[in-house]
Amino acid sequence: MDGWVGAWTGGRRAVHVGNVADFNEQFLLEPSSRGRLTVGRFPVGRFWAGRSAAEPSAAERRADRLRRAHHYAGLAVGYSPEPAALVLPAEVDRVWIDWLARELDWGPVELFDGLAPGGTVAEALAARPALVERLATGPEPVLFWGRTPDRGEGPELAAVRRYEAKDAAHGLFTALAQDHPGVRVPRQEPADTPRAAARRLAARAARGRATVLKSPHGVGGYGTVVVTPEEVSAAGGARRLLRRLVREDVLPPGGPLLLEEYVDGGPAGAGRLRDLTFDAVIGADGRVHPVGVGEMAVDGTRYQGVTVGPGVVPPGAAATAERFGLAVGERLAEAGHRGWYDVDFVTDRERRLAPTEANLRLTGPAIAFVLRHRLDQVRGPGHLVRTLDAMPLGARLSQEALYGHLAGLRPACAQLGATLLPLIVTAGHEPEPAVGLVLAARSVEALDAAQALLGAAHHALGRMFEALR
């Protein structure tokens, strides 16, 4: 089979392992660990449970981050067009898998869930050698969110460690951009200490420049924040602002930071193109296979979802993103990376593309591309797919109650021309409850209408429960 599906799965059903927490854990340092790598942050801020008055211990921070990453591992349902088995760290009611199987015409899917409520998937599988043997020796390829140390050292993991770092990715973008008209790389400078970062931030603010502060590693917007001169002044200076951002868990404590030029995209409004992603797969032979270009929804710096499909991104911008993204992929392949990757962009006022990071793993947009491919397979071409990773719910719901709520909305979405699919269903009982969903339709208007319907229905849950008190 040619194309990205052939390079990704060989056209076969696959085993999907939801190891989001494992991937995150190899990055982001705890200052008290003296260099020991600990768990990363969950990509979607809505699932943050808030801070107690007392500073949480390292164990408490790790448990919180594991829980949030395990919610996001629900995306494992969409790692490939047709799963043979799902390996999930959190407990997921079987009814959700059955819903997806009906809509996507899947065959029987084995479900291994609830494996790692308090640890990583690697830790859980190490205690289940029979399951590992069964999955590893079956005919299906085994797909992971990303490469992790438990699967062995080598060039693939080395490439991940190198280019998941935002400074290394920036260096790669800079080296390539001169051959790509329509691409401009934002200026970036490192600061090895918080004091150095404060000095440079203050100097930039004094010149009236907004700055993007970045941790070298971060996921889904964590460790990245846009700071304006007005915010520096209101905080009483750059040092005070940086300390506050650490206290609020916006930036990691200690360690280096990157200060990057803020790319002004111009006034917001209808027709504004701001956040794009290009996705591709590097096959076992090192060849790069394009998947597509999508328009992301980003709140501040936090990824919320994506829309993919024909006509979503104007042809000129899509072609520029693909040419540059393929050039990045060729360099990643030379470095040893195999599998999925993406390149994220923002646009400036002239609609030039500014690459901001590379992700050498599956991502939220990857799931949208995979599901769109499957829907086109089983229902005919032309689908637009929108993922909504963390829609707020007006009330905390068990999975059973959440299923009833969403099942009741399916006919209304269908009347608008949209198919509703569940994605992240384990976070409905968080202090800030949320649900991840997919909408598929033949027009952006149908997607917009269905999203508005869902948002109103989720919000109404709060009023409904208030009325019952």
Side-chain angles (χ1 to χ4, degrees):
M1 174 179 286
D2 294 330
W4 69 266
V5 177
W8 185 230
T9 68
R12 294 172 289 168
R13 304 177 74 204
V15 175
H16 303 179
V17 181
N19 70 329
V20 174
D22 304 58
F23 185 87
N24 293 352
E25 191 165 54
Q26 62 191 315
F27 305 112
L28 301 174
L29 294 172
E30 290 281 2
S32 61
S33 65
R34 302 183 185 274
R36 180 175 53 86
L37 289 171
T38 58
V39 70
R41 275 72 171 176
F42 177 57
V44 179
R46 282 223 39 106
F47 301 149
W48 169 244
R51 286 188 179 273
S52 62
E55 183 69 18
S57 68
E60 289 170 332
R61 285 192 296 267
R62 182 175 191 264
D64 182 79
R65 292 164 187 165
L66 284 171
R67 190 187 74 256
R68 289 180 280 134
H70 290 343
H71 290 320
Y72 210 60
L75 295 180
V77 296
Y79 286 5
S80 80
E82 186 175 7
L86 299 171
V87 180
L88 301 175
E91 291 188 9
V92 175
D93 289 352
R94 180 79 210 188
V95 292
W96 302 111
I97 311 306
D98 294 340
W99 181 335
L100 291 166
R102 287 192 300 270
E103 295 286 0
L104 299 171
D105 196 26
W106 289 345
V109 179
E110 289 189 277
L111 177 61
F112 305 95
D113 66 324
L115 295 184
T120 65
V121 171
E123 291 166 348
L125 290 178
R128 294 169 173 81
L131 175 58
V132 173
E133 176 74 12
R134 178 181 174 188
L135 297 177
T137 58
E140 302 91 357
V142 181
L143 304 179
F144 296 82
W145 177 256
R147 190 81 186 186
T148 50
D150 59 279
R151 295 170 59 202
E153 298 287 339
E156 292 185 35
L157 186 58
V160 168
R161 287 172 172 162
R162 178 179 179 185
Y163 287 111
E164 277 280 332
K166 291 177 173 56
D167 50 351
H170 181 270
L172 175 57
F173 299 156
T174 301
L176 295 172
Q178 61 183 352
D179 296 325
H180 292 268
V183 173
R184 55 152 300 192
V185 181
R187 293 182 296 276
Q188 184 186 94
E189 57 179 327
D192 292 336
T193 66
R195 180 169 293 183
R199 284 198 306 268
R200 290 173 183 170
L201 179 61
R204 292 180 60 84
R207 295 194 296 271
R209 295 178 181 174
T211 301
V212 185
L213 292 174
K214 293 183 173 183
S215 169
H217 292 95
V219 286
Y222 175 79
T224 300
V225 61
V226 178
V227 174
T228 65
E230 294 78 12
E231 288 170 323
V232 173
S233 177
R239 292 183 68 179
R240 288 185 177 181
L241 178 60
L242 288 176
R243 286 197 293 264
R244 193 193 78 202
L245 292 173
V246 169
R247 285 197 308 270
E248 294 174 352
D249 203 47
V250 175
L251 293 175
L257 285 174
L258 306 171
L259 288 80
E260 190 168 284
E261 168 195 4
Y262 173 72
V263 177
D264 183 6
R272 182 195 188 206
L273 191 70
R274 180 57 172 165
D275 295 278
L276 301 181
T277 182
F278 166 77
D279 284 53
V281 173
I282 300 173
D285 59 359
R287 292 172 56 200
V288 184
H289 303 267
V291 176
V293 180
E295 182 176 11
M296 297 185 292
V298 179
D299 180 12
T301 59
R302 291 190 179 274
Y303 172 79
Q304 302 294 308
V306 70
T307 304
V308 304
V312 168
V313 179
T320 299
E322 179 170 318
R323 284 193 297 269
F324 186 78
L326 288 174
V328 171
E330 290 172 0
R331 292 292 189 90
L332 298 180
E334 291 173 4
H337 183 55
R338 297 294 183 267
W340 206 285
Y341 77 93
D342 80 358
V343 179
D344 293 341
F345 304 86
V346 296
T347 60
D348 67 9
R349 286 176 175 264
E350 287 76 42
R351 291 285 184 100
R352 293 176 297 177
L353 303 189
T356 57
E357 67 178 11
N359 295 298
L360 283 71
R361 54 178 169 82
L362 283 165
T363 61
I367 308 310
F369 285 116
V370 167
L371 294 177
R372 175 179 172 262
H373 174 84
R374 183 60 177 178
L375 285 163
D376 282 358
Q377 267 190 321
V378 300
R379 298 189 180 185
H383 285 87
L384 304 177
V385 168
R386 176 174 296 169
T387 55
L388 305 160
D389 280 12
M391 294 195 80
L393 295 170
R396 299 173 71 186
L397 300 178
S398 66
Q399 288 193 44
E400 181 180 6
L402 180 61
Y403 182 88
H405 169 65
L406 295 177
L409 294 171
R410 287 175 75 181
C413 288
Q415 286 183 343
L416 296 171
T419 298
L420 175 63
L421 302 173
L423 194 59
I424 299 172
V425 297
T426 57
H429 219 261
E430 286 288 320
E432 293 186 52
V435 62
L437 299 171
V438 179
L439 290 168
R442 303 283 181 171
S443 70
V444 171
E445 292 76 15
L447 292 177
D448 290 343
Q451 182 176 347
L453 170 76
L454 292 171
H458 297 340
H459 181 71
L461 286 169
R463 295 195 301 270
M464 179 183 71
F465 281 92
E466 284 291 333
L468 294 175
R469 291 181 178 177

